[in-house]
Amino acid sequence: MIDGMLLPGADHPAAAAFWHWCARGELRIQVCASCGTRRFPPRPMCPTCRSFDHVGEPLSGRGTVWSFVVPHPPLLAAYNEQSPYNVIVVTAEEEPAIRFVGNLVTSADGRLDGVDPTTIRIGESVTVAFDRVSDAIALPRWTRP
């Protein structure tokens, strides 16, 4: 936890590369080196051909709000001060089956409650922005273009 935020397990073997790319400001996903299947979240084996070989494919960082929620109390204590906030699901422009969960914010380091949840629309365009929360972790968040 850093400054009241719960952080991902960036050293998990299956996800370490994703978090490394995010720390460099790159949104990438795994692509099977054998059959070309794109996959997210990261995992060791391709669900299509069962290959363990993969590469990281860069994405544009553009997407569309597929769904969203506004959590209501009781909340995780780390997020009480920033409620109400949104949690959005974004489909990647390059591959709509790839979905990311994050927050719609006004800037990369914007507060989680910085966007009025009543203004969020399913289908609206968003762009990734990386919030550097530590030397090793930059969280992908989403902003309006």
Side-chain angles (χ1 to χ4, degrees):
M1 188 180 307
I2 293 178
D3 292 330
M5 294 190 65
L6 301 175
L7 298 179
D11 57 350
H12 187 279
F18 174 77
W19 292 110
H20 173 74
W21 296 322
C22 287
R24 293 180 6 197
E26 301 175 24
L27 186 64
R28 291 180 177 245
I29 57 170
Q30 288 180 336
V31 177
C32 178
S34 298
C35 74
T37 297
R38 293 171 166 162
R39 63 186 191 246
F40 187 83
R43 48 196 174 269
M45 184 176 72
C46 176
T48 303
C49 73
R50 298 184 184 160
S51 170
F52 287 94
D53 299 325
H54 62 272
V55 296
E57 178 182 300
L59 299 180
S60 66
R62 293 185 301 270
T64 303
V65 175
W66 184 77
S67 184
F68 72 96
V69 298
V70 179
H72 294 280
L75 302 169
L76 294 171
Y79 300 98
N80 281 339
E81 290 182 23
Q82 295 191 68
S83 67
Y85 58 89
N86 65 78
V87 177
I88 63 173
V89 179
V90 174
T91 59
E93 180 179 80
E94 296 83 353
E95 180 67 59
I98 299 292
R99 297 185 179 130
F100 298 93
V101 176
N103 306 98
L104 184 60
V105 291
T106 57
S107 64
D109 61 350
R111 286 179 51 90
L112 298 183
D113 60 355
V115 173
D116 179 352
T118 65
T119 67
I120 301 171
R121 298 291 177 256
I122 294 193
E124 78 174 285
S125 296
V126 292
T127 304
V128 74
F130 293 96
D131 181 14
R132 180 160 298 283
V133 295
S134 76
D135 290 339
I137 297 177
L139 299 174
R141 293 176 158 191
W142 303 91
T143 60
R144 291 174 165 137

